[in-house]
């Protein structure tokens, strides 16, 4: 459209096809502090739900997804202990009061930090990824250690699943960010167990390799390739989108005599905003109980009632036509029906007289 010098209608709607890009981290932070950043997204969100309400064939309730503009969009931060989740939220929001594991014991409970634009960052406690079953066999762990490790791991997977399926938009995330420190070990089998939870629920997944300056180029290339292989095994979600990979250095530091700046945080913010899709509201609509009307359609009563009135008028007209057609035939049958009815009346009187006489004799 731009090459043909035509007006580009999607310029006013960045949630359709255009990608969001910032010049630097400061401009990205300024965008997150703008209260109207997500207005066009919520407009498209409600427009899609209006289409569902107007479609008689769909018949789904849209009350639940319509609550999203009131609560905002949740971004779930998950990862191992010390992966840099809290530090990343601190750099994005600019809130210096956020406690990180570098100076304290780290996050021990779920914390929510809100940006002025409506994004809510859910900082979760870290966990430890266990070894794969094959590696556990080689290490010759005891039965008790295996059961304890599996129980703890199952609890974390269940917790993530609960957050993804929560019927409360104050908690339920629309984007998931997995943080992995570059110096940590990559265990594809266990990571796929985590990634498949949001991926199967059509929640955009962003994989962030943090603290990339802590390893050399060779080690970083190995970690990068390992994550690419995991993304290939994970495949595409129901919306046809794969997981994205971003390399991040959350803070300035000096490593091996070289000063590293903050990198990748701007790209993470861009990826989160670009992954938002108003059509994802279709995964939150619910079908009403069998036989019940759609409770979300508040203005649909006038249309169906008009349709019912038209149907009733048509039925009345058909009945009038049938009565007019039957008048000619009824005149021919009046005499026969009158004679037969008189005969039935005489029989009824005779039966009642006989019954009365029998009662007197018995008395």
């Amino acid at each position: 459209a731009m090459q043909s010098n035509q007006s580009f209608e999607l310029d006013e709607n960045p949630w359709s096809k255009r990608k969001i890009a910032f010049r630097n981290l400061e401009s990205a932070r300024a965008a997150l502090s703008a209260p109207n950043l997500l207005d066009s997204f919520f407009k498209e969100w409600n427009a899609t739900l209006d289409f569902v309400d107007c479609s008689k064939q769909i018949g789904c309730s849209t009350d639940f997804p319509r609550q999203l503009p009131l609560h905002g969009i949740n971004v779930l931060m998950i990862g191992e202990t010390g992966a840099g989740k809290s530090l990343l939220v601190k750099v994005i929001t600019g809130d210096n009061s956020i406690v990180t594991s570098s100076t304290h014991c780290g996050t021990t409970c779920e914390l929510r930090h809100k940006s002025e634009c409506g994004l809510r960052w859910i900082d979760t406690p870290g966990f430890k990824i266990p070894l794969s079953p094959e590696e556990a066999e080689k290490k010759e762990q005891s039965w008790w250690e295996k059961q304890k490790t599996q129980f703890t791991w199952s609890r974390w997977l269940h917790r993530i699943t609960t957050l993804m399926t929560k019927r409360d938009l104050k908690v339920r995330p629309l984007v998931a960010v997995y943080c992995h420190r570059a110096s940590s070990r990559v265990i594809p089998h266990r990571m796929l167990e985590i990634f498949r939870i949001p991926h199967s629920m059509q929640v955009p997944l962003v994989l962030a390799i943090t603290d990339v300056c802590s390893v050399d180029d060779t080690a970083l290339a190995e970690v990068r390739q390992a994550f690419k292989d995991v993304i290939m095994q994970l495949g595409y979600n129901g919306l046809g989108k794969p997981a994205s990979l971003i390399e991040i250095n959350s803070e300035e530091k000096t490593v091996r005599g070289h000063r590293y700046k903050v990198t990748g945080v701007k790209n993470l913010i861009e990826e989160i905003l670009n992954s938002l899709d108003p059509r994802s509201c279709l995964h939150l609509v619910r079908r009403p109980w069998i036989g019940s009307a759609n409770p979300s359609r508040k203005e649909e009563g006038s249309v169906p009632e008009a349709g019912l009135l038209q149907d009733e008028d048509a039925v009345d007209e058909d009945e009038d036509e049938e009565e007019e057609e039957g008048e000619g035939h009824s005149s021919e049958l009046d005499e026969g029906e009158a004679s037969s009815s008189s005969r039935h009346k005489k029989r009824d009187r005779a039966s009642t007289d006989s019954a009365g006489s029998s009662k007197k004799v018995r008395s």
Side-chain angles (χ1 to χ4, degrees):
M2 297 178 67
Q3 292 178 357
S4 59
N5 296 326
Q6 296 178 359
S7 60
F8 190 45
E9 297 179 356
L10 295 178
D11 279 343
E12 298 179 356
N13 181 13
W15 311 106
S16 295
K17 293 182 179 180
R18 197 179 68 168
K19 294 291 185 180
I20 296 177
F22 301 108
R23 296 180 179 179
N24 46 42
L25 180 58
E26 287 71 19
S27 61
R29 286 176 176 172
L32 294 180
S33 61
N36 60 346
L37 175 63
L38 300 176
D39 286 352
S40 59
F41 171 80
F42 292 137
K43 181 179 179 181
E44 290 294 321
W45 180 277
N46 290 326
T48 306
L49 295 175
D50 291 339
F51 176 78
V52 175
D53 288 339
C54 295
S55 301
K56 298 180 180 179
Q57 296 82 0
I58 298 178
C60 293
S61 173
T62 60
D63 292 341
F64 177 63
R66 286 190 185 277
Q67 301 174 9
L68 183 69
L70 301 176
H71 304 305
I73 298 175
N74 295 321
V75 181
L76 182 64
M77 310 292 291
I78 54 178
E80 292 186 89
T81 303
K85 303 181 295 297
S86 301
L87 178 59
L88 193 56
V89 175
K90 181 178 180 180
V91 174
I92 292 174
T93 59
D95 186 1
N96 295 325
S97 63
I98 297 178
V99 177
T100 62
S101 58
S102 60
T103 56
H104 296 77
C105 61
T107 304
T108 56
C109 61
E110 293 180 3
L111 300 176
R112 290 171 175 81
H113 308 278
K114 182 179 179 181
S115 298
E116 295 182 8
C117 66
L119 289 178
R120 293 178 179 270
W121 310 88
I122 305 178
D123 189 10
T124 60
F127 52 81
K128 181 180 179 180
I129 296 181
L131 298 175
S132 62
E134 296 79 8
E135 294 177 340
E137 290 293 337
K138 295 179 180 179
K139 196 176 179 180
E140 297 181 356
Q141 290 182 344
S142 64
W143 180 87
W144 172 252
E145 290 179 352
K146 292 180 182 178
Q147 296 300 320
K148 181 181 178 181
T149 302
Q150 185 61 32
F151 175 75
T152 306
W153 180 244
S154 300
R155 284 186 60 188
W156 279 112
L157 295 178
H158 177 71
R159 178 55 184 165
I160 298 174
T161 305
T162 302
L163 289 174
M164 292 292 174
T165 58
K166 198 77 171 178
R167 297 300 299 181
D168 185 4
L169 290 179
K170 294 180 181 178
V171 181
R172 184 165 179 166
L174 259 67
V175 181
V177 178
Y178 179 84
C179 299
H180 178 85
R181 187 175 289 274
S183 57
S184 301
R185 184 179 179 184
V186 178
I187 305 178
H189 177 80
R190 298 299 186 183
M191 290 181 175
L192 283 172
E193 292 181 2
I194 302 176
F195 300 161
R196 288 193 178 105
I197 297 175
H199 209 61
S200 62
M201 299 177 184
Q202 325 311 330
V203 176
L205 177 62
V206 182
L207 309 181
I209 303 177
T210 62
D211 199 18
V212 293
C213 63
S214 62
V215 296
D216 55 14
D217 295 341
T218 303
L220 181 59
E222 293 177 356
V223 174
R224 184 188 302 119
Q225 186 59 42
F227 269 94
K228 289 182 178 180
D229 295 339
V230 171
I231 293 175
M232 289 294 294
Q233 296 181 36
L234 188 63
Y236 297 88
N237 60 9
L239 298 176
K241 297 180 180 179
S244 56
L245 180 63
I246 297 177
E247 299 176 8
I248 297 175
N249 187 40
S250 303
E251 59 181 353
E252 294 185 2
K253 59 172 59 177
T254 302
V255 180
R256 296 183 295 274
H258 185 75
R259 187 68 177 177
Y260 291 90
K261 297 182 179 181
V262 177
T263 58
V265 180
K266 175 186 74 72
N267 299 332
L268 177 62
I269 298 174
E270 293 173 350
E271 185 63 30
I272 291 174
L273 295 176
N274 289 323
S275 64
L276 297 177
D277 191 346
R279 296 173 298 176
S280 60
C281 66
L282 300 177
H283 299 284
L284 302 178
V285 298
R286 292 189 294 180
R287 286 190 176 276
W289 292 101
I290 298 176
S292 62
N294 186 354
S296 64
R297 301 183 186 179
K298 298 180 181 179
E299 300 179 356
E300 75 167 357
S302 59
V303 177
E305 286 177 3
L308 290 173
L309 291 175
Q310 293 177 0
D311 295 339
E312 290 177 359
D313 294 340
V315 172
D316 293 338
E317 292 177 0
D318 295 338
E319 290 178 354
D320 294 338
E321 293 178 358
E322 291 177 357
E323 290 177 358
E324 292 177 358
E325 292 177 357
E327 288 179 356
H329 299 286
S330 61
S331 61
E332 299 175 359
L333 300 176
D334 285 342
E335 297 178 357
E337 290 179 356
S339 60
S340 61
S341 62
S342 62
R343 292 174 185 174
H344 288 302
K345 289 180 180 179
K346 291 179 181 179
R347 291 178 183 176
D348 294 338
R349 290 175 183 175
S351 61
T352 54
D353 293 340
S354 61
S357 62
S358 61
K359 290 180 180 180
K360 291 179 181 180
V361 172
R362 289 177 183 177
S363 61

